[in-house]
Amino acid sequence: MLEIFQPNALKGEVAVITGGGSGLGYGMARAFAQVGATVVITSRSAERLAAATARIGEETGRHCGSMPCDVRDEAGVQRLRDYVEERYGPATIVVNNAAANFPMRAERLTSRALAAVVDTDLYGTFHLTRGFVPAMLEARHGAVLNITLPVPERGFPGFAACGAAKAAIVSLTATWAYEWGPRGVRVNAIAPGPVPTEGVAANMLSTTTPAAFAGAGGDTPLGRLGAPDDIAAAAVFLCSPAASWITGQNLVVDGGIYLNRAPAPQVLAPRP
Ligand code: NAP
């Protein structure tokens, strides 16, 4: 699918992708490398990053950089920014993909559990963007891409903390787009529908990937679940010059699920 993009579609761009060692982040990192970007992935696990960079090298023939970083740690994000700038030059694309999530009935959600998710999803997105955007604004060139949920304002039953954090990120996407558009920086989001990844299955549902997604997808308009490349293709587009008049959007990439379910992610949620 990604072959339809020119191999130099993102040539000259330096892309930092959080959570790039697994799942959707890995798919976006590989795709960005395939279309010519210099890619740096980050997450907490150095082992996961090492395996992912090696695999991206094998699959694309291109170098992929990495540095472990916890997106909750603002000072650590600044060290990541310095590392990227020294080795590759200022980042021109930031993909805020790292996230935490787990199922819990809303009445049992403690403030500590809420903070754990908000710290990673919302503050992580904030830290990365705050860290990297000044250089983009100075250069009057850059793209921020946040990974959210389809229509989070409709709620996320079973996952209140993640739904709240993602709704806040959708709002930040619009605010940042408005404030930074005149200064050359576009800000968009992708709202993925269900894409079977080990992370979602293990972290959210404590089960295996096939079990977590069994039965989901068949009755959706496009008749299937998503694949990491579905999200990666939209990410390449939104970060490329082809999207140069698009900013502030939360692009739903879900096979049409949100059209007939409210909220869309309900297909993943155990009934409370
Ligand atoms: P995943 O593989 O579990 O991805 C999460 C990534 O975030 C992991 O690589 C993890 O790596 C990293 N991460 C977690 N906490 C971190 C922290 N504090 N600092 C830095 N990195 C951290 O799951 P996924 O399905 O690919 O999800 C990717 C994104 O898509 C998430 O934003 C998720 O909310 C969104 N999404 C997914 C789906 C879906 O169906 N798959 C649907 C809607 C939205 P480490 O453990 O090494 O830190």
Side-chain angles (χ1 to χ4, degrees):
M1 174 210 294
L2 293 163
E3 290 73 31
I4 68 162
F5 291 106
Q6 295 283 348
N8 61 356
L10 292 181
K11 190 160 182 241
E13 307 293 347
V14 177
V16 175
I17 301 177
T18 69
S22 67
L24 305 188
Y26 177 84
M28 289 188 277
R30 180 179 56 190
F32 279 38
Q34 271 170 358
V35 298
T38 298
V39 178
V40 182
I41 58 175
T42 186
S43 81
R44 292 164 301 179
S45 164
E47 280 175 24
R48 175 176 268 178
L49 292 174
T53 54
R55 212 171 124 206
I56 287 172
E58 282 165 23
E59 291 178 349
T60 68
R62 290 183 56 89
H63 167 77
C64 176
S66 72
M67 178 177 160
C69 174
D70 186 328
V71 296
R72 295 170 295 186
D73 173 13
E74 193 165 18
V77 170
Q78 284 161 6
R79 287 193 293 278
L80 171 70
R81 191 242 351 257
D82 294 346
Y83 173 88
V84 172
E85 277 190 12
E86 274 166 28
R87 279 168 183 70
Y88 306 103
T92 57
I93 295 171
V94 171
V95 180
N96 291 306
N97 165 77
N101 199 6
F102 47 82
M104 188 172 286
R105 292 182 187 189
E107 73 275 16
R108 290 198 187 149
L109 183 66
T110 61
S111 58
R112 197 163 164 220
L114 175 66
V117 173
V118 168
D119 277 353
T120 304
D121 299 18
L122 177 58
Y123 278 87
T125 295
F126 174 76
H127 292 152
L128 261 287
T129 307
R130 275 290 286 121
F132 284 98
V133 90
M136 296 185 196
L137 293 171
E138 197 181 324
R140 302 187 69 82
H141 173 76
V144 176
L145 182 64
N146 300 324
I147 305 302
T148 60
L149 284 175
V151 282
E153 66 273 23
R154 289 189 193 167
F156 194 1
F159 303 92
C162 180
K166 298 287 192 182
I169 295 169
V170 172
S171 178
L172 273 182
T173 301
T175 303
W176 286 339
Y178 198 91
E179 294 198 15
W180 298 336
R183 299 161 71 191
V185 175
R186 295 183 302 106
V187 187
N188 288 294
I190 290 176
V195 181
T197 62
E198 285 176 25
V200 165
N203 299 336
M204 289 172 57
L205 304 172
S206 305
T207 182
T208 61
T209 305
F213 291 90
D219 58 347
T220 66
L222 293 183
R224 66 171 175 86
L225 292 170
D229 273 0
D230 292 312
I231 308 305
V236 169
F237 166 66
L238 284 174
C239 293
S240 78
S244 63
W245 207 43
I246 299 177
T247 197
Q249 297 303 303
N250 185 33
L251 178 66
V252 177
V253 182
D254 75 339
I257 292 172
Y258 93 106
L259 294 172
N260 60 6
R261 289 180 197 262
Q266 212 162 20
V267 292
L268 287 177
R271 294 206 70 77

